Amino acid sequence: MEMQTTYIYLEPRPDKRTQELFLRGTGVRASTIWHDRYIARMTPHQIAQNRDLPIAAVLEALVYCQDHWDVICAEKDAERVWLEEQGFFAEDSPAQR
């Protein structure tokens, strides 16, 4: 039996087509916090200050990403495929101009 985790700072967004959780009241995906930490190389304190979040919210998002990485990656991969099908990455697309 899998135990359900209760989050203080994370919540689902039913209006979005994703299982990934968002920081409550912000519209910021948990994976955006992960990106800030590991791609932009910001410290958790820098992220909290930059995004006006409690440090506990940043840490909760990072733990969530670690625990749900497979779901997050699968959704990102599906989103990329959909964007490719829409021609988003084509050289003549508005996104490339």
Side-chain angles (χ1 to χ4, degrees), residues 1-73:
M1 184 170 164
E2 187 176 324
M3 208 167 116
Q4 185 77 17
T5 303
T6 302
Y7 296 102
I8 297 169
Y9 299 100
L10 298 174
E11 65 182 355
R13 291 281 307 268
D15 58 318
K16 305 293 182 185
R17 294 182 184 164
T18 180
Q19 293 179 46
E20 183 179 348
L21 298 183
F22 291 72
L23 286 149
R24 190 175 308 279
T26 68
V28 176
R29 292 175 183 247
S31 62
T32 301
I33 301 301
W34 183 93
H35 180 276
D36 288 350
R37 176 70 182 108
Y38 296 105
I39 304 301
R41 300 195 180 274
M42 298 170 70
T43 67
H45 285 82
Q46 289 170 325
I47 298 166
Q49 184 176 22
N50 187 52
R51 293 191 176 273
D52 195 27
L53 296 168
I55 187 69
V58 172
L59 297 175
E60 184 175 275
L62 292 171
V63 169
Y64 168 81
C65 287
Q66 181 177 338
D67 291 347
H68 297 87
W69 195 242
D70 54 338
V71 172
I72 292 169
C73 288

